[in-house]
Amino acid sequence: MTGRALAGNKVLCGALGIAGLLLVMEAAGRAGLVDPAVLPLTSTILTRVAELAVDGEFLANVGATMTAWGLGLLLTVAVTVPLGLLLGSLPKLETAVRPLIEFLRPIPSVALIPLAILIFPDRLDLKIAVIFYASCWPVLINTMYGLQDVDPVAKETLRSFGFGPLAVLWRVSLPSTAPFIATGVRLAGGIALILAISAELLAGGSDGIGAYVIKAGSSPDGLEFIIAATMWAGILGVVTNSLFIGTERRLFRWHAARAGVTR
């Protein structure tokens, strides 16, 4: 493969970059530059990562985290997309609600976990609640922004043929806004995974990747398994984000082509 072709293959370049970093970390550990008691060798960590891939207990914890992730994200989409369409369609209502949105949006979601512990005794409900709060903002803002990008000529054309507001929203505004909504959902997916694991770490509980990390800390090889579990969290984030990107590209090729023409 030529250098130019290699540079154009983003996946391969990314994989080579990660492999290079892991090799450097392994070399630093074996050369004594890094104490293995502080940061275990890369080869040791990768062995633990492979072990966790077939560990029934860990896989059950992954399933618990991803269940909360999926339910929280589903609730976010079900509530926030209609709300964003409503606010985006009614400028006066959006103007009235905007100060509240701008007040709530910067509040760190992790800081609300202690409050959520008091409100939601069930740990699954707690995770879903904090996931919803953190994930709703990118979906809401992208939905509202997408409505502003709708071609006004297309809407006026439908109105001139006697279509009402709901028909215009369904036939023109929603299809045009869909790529923006998809981007918001993709961003929310990464945030949801972070909050699911953070809630498990801070709120405790008996299942989830965060709960597994807490338990692993008390084992003799705890540090190795903590890092390995953290790497699996990163792998899950990369996989889910890649799935979202692939879905966006397949469903909204026309939007990417239009953006390219616009540029």
Side-chain angles (χ1 to χ4, degrees):
M1 180 178 289
T2 64
R4 181 175 297 180
L6 178 62
N9 191 322
K10 294 181 180 180
V11 175
L12 184 56
C13 284
L16 290 175
I18 294 174
L21 176 62
L22 294 177
L23 288 173
V24 170
M25 292 172 60
E26 177 76 11
R30 293 193 178 276
L33 299 177
V34 178
D35 185 357
V38 177
L39 182 62
L41 295 173
T42 301
S43 56
T44 303
I45 297 300
L46 293 180
T47 300
R48 299 304 188 191
V49 169
E51 291 176 3
L52 291 181
V54 294
D55 186 315
E57 179 186 357
F58 178 72
L59 293 178
N61 283 295
V62 170
T65 296
M66 297 309 292
T67 297
W69 173 84
L71 292 174
L73 199 58
L74 183 63
L75 178 64
T76 299
V77 174
V79 173
T80 312
V81 171
L83 180 60
L85 292 173
L86 177 65
L87 294 177
S89 302
L90 301 174
K92 292 184 179 179
L93 179 61
E94 190 271 338
T95 301
V97 176
R98 173 67 71 169
L100 179 62
I101 294 175
E102 296 303 327
F103 171 75
L104 294 175
R105 190 160 61 98
I107 297 177
S109 304
V110 176
L112 297 177
I113 292 178
L115 176 62
I117 293 173
L118 300 176
I119 299 174
F120 301 98
D122 183 82
R123 288 297 177 258
L124 179 59
D125 292 342
L126 183 150
K127 288 189 281 187
I128 292 174
V130 295
I131 286 171
F132 172 77
Y133 181 84
S135 304
C136 71
W137 307 117
V139 181
L140 179 65
I141 299 301
N142 273 272
T143 303
M144 294 165 59
Y145 177 79
L147 281 177
Q148 298 175 6
D149 193 62
V150 177
D151 185 0
V153 176
K155 294 194 293 185
E156 290 300 326
T157 301
L158 239 64
R159 292 193 185 104
S160 67
F161 282 100
F163 288 92
L166 289 178
V168 173
L169 177 66
W170 179 257
R171 292 172 178 267
V172 176
S173 299
L174 187 56
S176 181
T177 307
F180 295 90
I181 296 174
T183 300
V185 173
R186 173 166 55 83
L187 296 174
I191 295 172
L193 185 58
I194 293 171
L195 263 296
I197 297 175
S198 298
E200 292 163 356
L201 286 169
L202 297 178
S206 59
D207 53 14
I209 296 175
Y212 179 87
V213 167
I214 294 174
K215 294 177 184 176
S218 60
S219 65
D221 299 324
L223 180 59
E224 298 172 6
F225 282 104
I226 288 173
I227 298 175
T230 303
M231 289 186 67
W232 269 114
I235 292 170
L236 290 172
V238 170
V239 170
T240 53
N241 186 67
S242 299
L243 290 175
F244 279 126
I245 292 176
T247 303
E248 283 184 57
R249 288 176 177 173
R250 290 186 178 183
L251 294 179
F252 306 117
R253 290 180 181 176
W254 55 270
H255 184 261
R258 190 185 72 172
V261 171
T262 303
R263 294 193 192 97

